Amino acid sequence: MSDPYFDKVYKARTDEETRDLYDAWAKTYDAAVEGEGYATPRRCAEALLAFMPDTTAPILDFGCGTGLSGLALRLAGFTTIDGVDLSPGMLELAQERQTYRNLSRIGTDDPLPEGYAAIAAIGVIGAGAAPLNALERLFDALDAGAMCVFSFNDHTLEDPEFQALVDRRIADGSLTRLFQEHGPHLPGKNIASTVYVVEKK
């Protein structure tokens, strides 16, 4: 039987509704997405590792959820990972993994912590989750030479504005595209995603 939250997650909603949805989904989230073969965290972690050989450098896991993204980063070899998320319920489960150095709740308009070698936004930006301006904020928070690994699933890619933002920031010279690849996201639901790695100039 399909998890009922899959039918709700890609619909547009307010920030408060998003937080409440993910709080309610927290306890069954891992089983739901892993049951559909959730591949994007591993793909993102491996893509970042290819360009960031210093596995001790600090990484911010933005929208860390229950910690599946942090776990993928840890399994790839990264050792210094901090996580932030909108949902207290998700953060409670992320804490249980003991993957993160620090975990904290972040509001929609809260300033992003700085000083990271990379920011990860894995399965976070797009339909049913963080809006496009959140990715703009992530890009702006990067130090020169720092990287961002992120993904857009097929639902998100249906809106051309998401890809257009990436292309615009590369064209204006503020970012360098290091990696872009379309591949599996939730194979069980026949949903793919594009994984990106960019570097701040």
Side-chain angles (χ1 to χ4, degrees):
M1 181 178 173
S2 178
D3 189 299
Y5 290 101
F6 274 125
D7 297 328
K8 304 174 183 177
V9 70
Y10 296 118
K11 296 175 182 174
R13 63 184 69 83
T14 66
D15 295 332
E16 292 76 14
E17 288 170 335
T18 298
R19 183 196 61 220
D20 291 346
L21 173 69
Y22 280 96
D23 276 345
W25 196 9
K27 297 226 182 297
T28 60
Y29 176 83
D30 286 7
V33 297
E34 289 179 331
E36 303 294 345
Y38 190 31
T40 296
R42 175 189 55 77
R43 292 177 56 223
C44 285
E46 291 175 355
L48 181 61
L49 183 64
F51 298 98
M52 188 173 150
D54 181 3
T55 55
T56 66
I59 297 173
L60 178 66
D61 185 6
F62 176 83
C64 64
T66 64
L68 289 176
S69 46
L71 178 61
L73 291 165
R74 178 74 72 176
L75 290 173
F78 296 107
T79 60
T80 312
I81 309 164
D82 294 340
V84 294
D85 199 89
L86 186 69
S87 163
M90 290 278 189
L91 285 168
E92 283 181 24
L93 294 172
Q95 185 72 53
E96 294 174 7
R97 292 187 188 277
Q98 300 183 332
T99 298
Y100 295 93
R101 179 180 65 173
N102 296 303
L103 282 167
S104 57
R105 186 181 177 277
I106 190 167
T108 308
D109 298 317
D110 291 343
L112 288 163
E114 298 179 347
Y116 289 94
I119 299 176
I122 299 172
V124 171
I125 306 295
L132 187 57
N133 65 4
L135 185 62
E136 192 93 77
R137 290 175 60 218
L138 294 183
F139 291 159
D140 291 341
L142 292 171
D143 295 330
M147 298 178 200
C148 184
V149 58
F150 60 98
S151 62
F152 295 151
N153 66 35
D154 284 343
H155 292 284
T156 300
L157 289 166
E158 289 173 1
D159 182 345
E161 284 300 308
F162 287 84
Q163 182 66 53
L165 169 62
V166 178
D167 293 341
R168 186 165 63 250
R169 293 296 293 259
I170 290 163
D172 71 16
S174 61
L175 297 174
T176 300
R177 188 193 329 254
L178 302 177
F179 181 88
Q180 180 174 328
E181 181 184 74
H182 199 62
H185 177 57
L186 293 169
K189 290 199 165 290
N190 198 32
I191 301 172
S193 65
T194 299
V195 167
Y196 306 77
V197 180
V198 299
E199 182 177 19
K200 184 76 169 281
K201 290 187 180 179

